[in-house]
Amino acid sequence: MDSCDDKLNRELYKALMKGDEQEVIQLCLSIPEGPSRIMTIHMDTVLHMATFSKQADLVLKLLENLPKTHLNKLTRQNDAGNTILHEAATSNSTTNAAREMLNKAPELLSLRNLLGETPIFRAARYGKQRVFEFLADEVDKVCAKMTEEQRIDAFFRRTDGTTILHISVLAEHFVLAGSIATRYPYLINLPDDDGMTALQLLSCNPLAFQSGCQHGFLKKLISSCIEQTPVSSNGARIFISVVATSKRNVSQVVSRKGDNTKGGDDQGVEVCKPVSFVSDFVKSCWRSPMLEAARKEKATFESAAKLAGLLIPYDTSWKNTNPREDRGKPKTHRYGSRASLTEKGLGRDGSQTLTLGKEEKENHQEWSQESNKSFTEKGGEEEGDEPLEDYTTPIIKTGETPLFLATMSGIREIVEQILDVHPQAIEHINNKGRNILHVAIKYRQLEMFDLVVSNEMLARRLITKTDKWGNSLLHMTGKKSSGYLAEKIQSPALQLQKELLLFERVKEVSRTYFIKHLNEQKQTPEELFAATYYELHNSATDWLKRTSENCTIVAVLIATVAFAAAYTIPGGPNPTTGLPLLLSQPFFVIFTLTDVISLTFSLTSVVTFLSILTSSFRVQDFKNSLPQKLMLGFTFLILSVSMMMVAFAATIVLMIHNKERWTKIVLYSIAFLPVTLFAISYSPLYLSLLEACKYPFKLILKACPRCNCIPFQPRMNNKLLEDESRKGDSSSIKPHKSHSNRNPV
């Protein structure tokens, strides 16, 4: 009996894989259970498999042939708990089949699988717009008399607390998520089990936004050629995409919603319809996967931004804020603490003296040594180095606000929209006592930092704040997130320079007394910075030494070749006069000049690289001095290579003109190949150096005199902040001399 069942199941399985509808129907008619027969090891019925394989016509025929006595078997679930309606919800092509399933077994609409997912939840998970809208209409009919909470528990939320809006955002079905938020606005602020709302989840996905993606030159060029403008406001996905090509027709394609297409399983993917016969012919013969991917990516960016604009007005998480701290008296010394004075029974008037016993002194010294050792070994402070935090307040349980999450992720679109809709949200303080500037600096989002600081009034309200551990904005330059990775930085030296420039940028907008301000761990910003980047400083030093040594060897070799070439002139000398035979040729002058210039530049680069090798490699040297020397050495080295290339070219031309043998020409060309490869391989590093050395040019531009008739608005500097300080809390500021010797960064 078992062998017969296995044979029948095997035949059914093969017929379904082949798509042979007639054979499947005939086999089902030959068995009592019909299409409700279990045929796989995972308890799938014939209807399960036919629906899963998107054979909509076959499913409809099987349902028509199903006896009424077997209608109760339509609710069978496989070992994952999925019914046939769960399978139909994963494809738009089975929408009609889903309608017929509900006609025969209405209870399928509310059945859940092992994850607690209803069919409408599964449609949202797979991003199937058309089948979701059908199921939503059916749910609305059933839930007409239910409250919002009852609807959520019955259909829209699964066991782990995830709603259909959460899952559509996580699966990056942003168009469907927008439809869900519009249809069921009470789902927008619902948190999942992790305390995350849909907007918070969206703020954690930088790759869904233009500002969060780092594209190369080619992708940026392709993206700039694609223009997508919404031409309908009724929720349908209609975009006009214009791709301009030089000296050719502008091809206009229309992206339409997939509701009117047969099958409709291309939902969320643009269907391009050319508007002319020529473009239709071209598109049928030629397609560009790169262009299609760029168009699809840009559509994702736009839909994500629209979804954010729809969710942000409902966000009120920024109202749950901690009180702000403004330290009117900065701590610039390491003597005592208010807490210790209170414990000892000492008042603020200092009437009693504080003396430490021998045991207390030893404990204090041991704590200081262990603290310094841990910072030296770990290379700075991590999240776990701070005191244990209190996770009892409501804002802690729900995580960071969407504004802070978007700032961490570098999503400028969300930050700008939140500040436009809720401008007062910029003053939100998280559970660590940090504002948006602290977060932007810690996560190295300089663009977000500049966005806030550009507003003078906002900057004055935020720059003086410290967190719960007394860390100012300058201290945050010495902190970084645990998952921080340098983006497209090709060397430790350039990475360290980037951090130093960030320190200088924050220092420009900070008040002067915060430079020596001590946090709760008795560290100034400069000390914390040096401790955090101790290992990076060592790596940058080793890398710079190796690079300089290697480039010195190459420069010496080029100088040797250029010097030898001056005495082995092409064509040889005249035996009688000793003058070059090709002296009257124009290319001989080019050869002479380029050879001399190549020798000069190569020797200059040698001197430059030697000056790097003899440097003291202090931390502050990596900000300007060492990168500028490295760029200068590379410049002279590349110029010497280029001049040598010109000299070789001139030599080859002279040899051809002098009718020399082609073997010599081939040898010269092969000999020049390594030089070309050297220039190509080092060009990315040289471009990075050019990018990193913009800061000195900005300083030079600041120092240049300007005409008074030209309006100029410089960045907010220390002078402005010092004036505000004098107007405000200058009476409470009492600077003290520092006890320890510190080297400035």
XYZ file of all heavy atoms in Angstrom, residues 567-582:
113
model
N 73.852 60.049 -20.713
C 75.143 59.717 -21.322
C 75.022 58.672 -22.421
O 76.009 58.343 -23.070
C 76.110 59.217 -20.235
C 76.531 60.307 -19.285
C 75.845 60.506 -18.096
C 77.599 61.146 -19.581
C 76.207 61.504 -17.214
C 77.977 62.150 -18.699
C 77.282 62.327 -17.523
O 77.657 63.323 -16.663
N 73.834 58.110 -22.569
C 73.599 57.146 -23.664
C 72.522 57.730 -24.561
O 71.402 57.232 -24.620
C 73.159 55.781 -23.096
O 72.004 55.969 -22.284
C 74.272 55.153 -22.274
N 72.843 58.803 -25.227
C 71.870 59.530 -26.034
C 71.471 58.707 -27.247
O 72.257 57.900 -27.760
C 72.469 60.881 -26.483
C 73.792 60.647 -27.224
C 72.670 61.801 -25.300
C 74.419 61.910 -27.754
N 70.244 58.857 -27.713
C 69.794 58.096 -28.896
C 70.556 58.522 -30.148
O 70.821 59.699 -30.370
C 68.302 58.461 -28.984
C 68.168 59.739 -28.252
C 69.177 59.720 -27.168
N 70.899 57.545 -30.959
C 71.646 57.819 -32.187
C 73.150 57.828 -32.003
O 73.905 57.689 -32.968
N 73.625 58.020 -30.757
C 75.051 58.026 -30.470
C 75.720 59.343 -30.864
O 75.138 60.196 -31.531
N 76.996 59.522 -30.472
C 77.714 60.767 -30.793
C 78.423 60.686 -32.153
O 78.611 59.608 -32.720
C 78.718 60.867 -29.659
C 79.006 59.442 -29.299
C 77.751 58.663 -29.555
N 78.792 61.843 -32.626
C 79.598 61.930 -33.851
C 81.020 61.521 -33.525
O 81.642 62.090 -32.620
C 79.562 63.359 -34.396
C 80.164 63.449 -35.803
O 81.142 62.792 -36.112
N 79.543 64.275 -36.637
N 81.615 60.542 -34.267
C 82.978 60.084 -33.932
C 84.017 61.189 -34.044
O 85.037 61.164 -33.345
C 83.244 58.971 -34.954
C 81.902 58.547 -35.423
C 81.041 59.758 -35.372
N 83.759 62.151 -34.887
C 84.765 63.196 -35.119
C 84.636 64.325 -34.101
O 85.612 64.699 -33.434
C 84.610 63.770 -36.541
O 84.666 62.699 -37.476
C 85.711 64.782 -36.838
N 83.417 64.869 -33.954
C 83.227 66.041 -33.093
C 82.762 65.673 -31.688
O 82.874 66.485 -30.767
C 82.185 66.984 -33.712
O 80.950 66.282 -33.831
C 82.639 67.429 -35.092
N 82.190 64.500 -31.528
C 81.662 64.110 -30.223
C 80.266 64.620 -29.953
O 79.675 64.290 -28.925
N 79.709 65.425 -30.848
C 78.356 65.936 -30.680
C 77.342 64.870 -31.080
O 77.628 64.008 -31.904
C 78.157 67.190 -31.535
C 79.028 68.389 -31.174
C 78.800 69.519 -32.176
C 78.729 68.866 -29.760
N 76.120 64.916 -30.515
C 75.101 63.924 -30.877
C 74.743 64.021 -32.357
O 74.648 65.119 -32.918
C 73.907 64.308 -30.000
C 74.493 65.065 -28.863
C 75.678 65.792 -29.416
N 74.551 62.891 -32.967
C 74.221 62.868 -34.388
C 72.836 63.456 -34.652
O 72.601 64.027 -35.715
C 74.265 61.422 -34.905
C 75.644 60.754 -34.929
C 75.521 59.294 -35.347
C 76.578 61.496 -35.905
N 71.931 63.297 -33.685
C 70.552 63.765 -33.884
C 70.299 65.096 -33.181
O 69.176 65.419 -32.798
C 69.566 62.711 -33.352
C 69.710 61.306 -33.937
C 68.729 60.345 -33.277
C 69.490 61.331 -35.447
